[in-house]
């Protein structure tokens, strides 16, 4: 179990630029989640995938955000035309299918800290 | 939309004192999970509760799921400095959807 891996760990960008983050889930985990967390707040749900299918996307998410999981393994989260309000920790999590795990435990990565200047 | 609130927002206790955080959902939940996040860390899974009225214990931690499946609590007996962190509940509204909404969290500080 190598854990959920996220890259980069930190990203500093200028307002208006596009950024892309990558998440490698634990192998054999079929569900992958993206959350956003700001200081002092709980993780805010953004979207989740089951295999390569994006099953739900938060209505709070603007069209500037897009996520993909093309082969059902790693995932990318892209933010276009970044704004200062996008500054946050972006967390990825994965969970195992029911034939492997008895619960729906989310395993989180260490996150990507985005700072938009 | 679904909202999950936790109280208190902050709690400072002396080492050895008990601690309880409460989680309340605006909608009935299929199941509820609890996570702990240490300062500078990421959330780490503690437990999942599924049944109405369920109670589970992990050493000094006791977790409870309400009869109406809209609230939950986490109680820590005799806190230790290693208990420091923020405790989040996370609820799934519908069985099989796997969308977890996190609560606002309770930040615990333990004074030695």
């Amino acid at each position: 179990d190598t854990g959920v891996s996220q890259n980069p760990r930190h990203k500093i960008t200028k307002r208006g630029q596009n950024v892309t983050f990558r998440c490698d889930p634990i192998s054999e985990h079929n569900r992958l989640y993206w959350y956003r967390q700001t200081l002092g707040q709980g993780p805010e749900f953004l979207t989740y995938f089951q295999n390569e299918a994006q099953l739900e996307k938060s209505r709070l998410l603007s069209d500037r955000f897009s996520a993909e999981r093309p082969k059902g393994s790693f995932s990318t989260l892209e933010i276009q035309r970044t704004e200062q309000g996008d500054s946050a920790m972006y967390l990825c999590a994965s969970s195992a299918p029911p034939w492997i795990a008895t619960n729906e435990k989310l395993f989180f990565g260490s996150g990507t800290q985005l700072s938009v200047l | 939309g679904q909202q999950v609130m936790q109280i208190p927002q902050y709690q400072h206790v002396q080492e050895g004192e008990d601690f309880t955080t409460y989680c309340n959902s605006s909608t009935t939940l299929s199941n509820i999970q609890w996570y702990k996040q240490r300062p500078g860390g990421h959330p780490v899974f503690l437990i999942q509760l599924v049944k109405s009225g369920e109670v589970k214990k992990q050493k000094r931690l006791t977790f409870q799921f309400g009869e109406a499946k809209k609230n939950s609590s986490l109680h820590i007996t005799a806190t230790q400095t290693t208990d420091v962190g923020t405790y989040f509940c996370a609820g799934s509204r519908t069985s099989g959807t796997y969308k977890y909404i996190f609560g606002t969290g309770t930040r615990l500080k333990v004074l030695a």
Side-chain angles (χ1 to χ4, degrees), chain A residues 48-98:
Chain A
Y48 90 95
F49 293 82
Q50 182 158 304
N51 300 312
E52 65 275 9
Q54 186 173 19
L55 295 188
E56 191 154 353
K57 183 177 176 180
S58 170
R59 282 172 289 183
L60 301 174
L61 217 56
S62 78
D63 290 342
R64 297 184 297 108
F65 288 72
S66 63
E68 293 182 342
R69 195 183 184 200
K71 296 182 180 179
S73 56
F74 73 92
S75 176
T76 57
L77 176 68
E78 180 183 20
I79 309 174
Q80 295 182 330
R81 304 181 303 281
T82 52
E83 302 171 356
Q84 287 184 326
D86 297 330
S87 296
M89 175 71 80
Y90 288 82
L91 293 166
C92 176
S94 68
S95 64

Side-chain angles (χ1 to χ4, degrees), chain A residues 22-37:
Chain A
R22 176 178 170 125
C23 172
D24 287 89
I26 295 170
S27 60
E28 296 185 335
H29 279 196
N30 63 337
R31 284 190 294 277
L32 186 147
Y33 300 77
W34 286 99
Y35 284 86
R36 175 172 64 187
Q37 187 175 29

Side-chain angles (χ1 to χ4, degrees), chain A residues 31 33 35 37 41-43 45 48 50 56 91 103-106 108-110, chain B residues 1 31 33 35 37 42-43 45 48 88 96-104:
Chain A
R31 284 190 294 277
Y33 300 77
Y35 284 86
Q37 187 175 29
Q41 303 296 315
F45 174 84
Y48 90 95
Q50 182 158 304
E56 191 154 353
L91 293 166
N103 59 45
E104 296 165 13
K105 172 180 180 180
L106 301 185
F108 281 87
S110 298
Chain B
N31 66 77
Q33 299 179 349
Y35 291 80
Q37 186 172 23
H42 55 271
F45 176 87
Q48 177 171 297
F88 293 102
T97 62
Y98 309 107
K99 174 184 174 181
Y100 284 90
I101 302 299
F102 278 72
T104 48

Side-chain angles (χ1 to χ4, degrees), chain B residues 18-80:
Chain B
D18 293 355
F19 159 77
T20 303
T21 172
Y22 299 91
C23 172
N24 293 286
S25 170
S26 58
T27 58
T28 302
L29 300 172
S30 167
N31 66 77
I32 196 157
Q33 299 179 349
W34 284 91
Y35 291 80
K36 176 183 179 181
Q37 186 172 23
R38 287 200 165 96
H42 55 271
V44 176
F45 176 87
L46 295 175
I47 207 158
Q48 177 171 297
L49 304 170
V50 178
K51 299 175 184 176
S52 169
E54 188 170 14
V55 178
K56 285 189 177 180
K57 293 189 176 184
Q58 287 180 350
K59 297 182 180 178
R60 296 179 295 105
L61 277 61
T62 301
F63 304 84
Q64 189 165 10
F65 201 6
E67 294 288 343
K69 301 185 77 173
K70 293 183 73 173
N71 57 72
S72 181
S73 65
L74 158 60
H75 179 82
I76 303 178
T77 304
T79 54
Q80 300 175 358

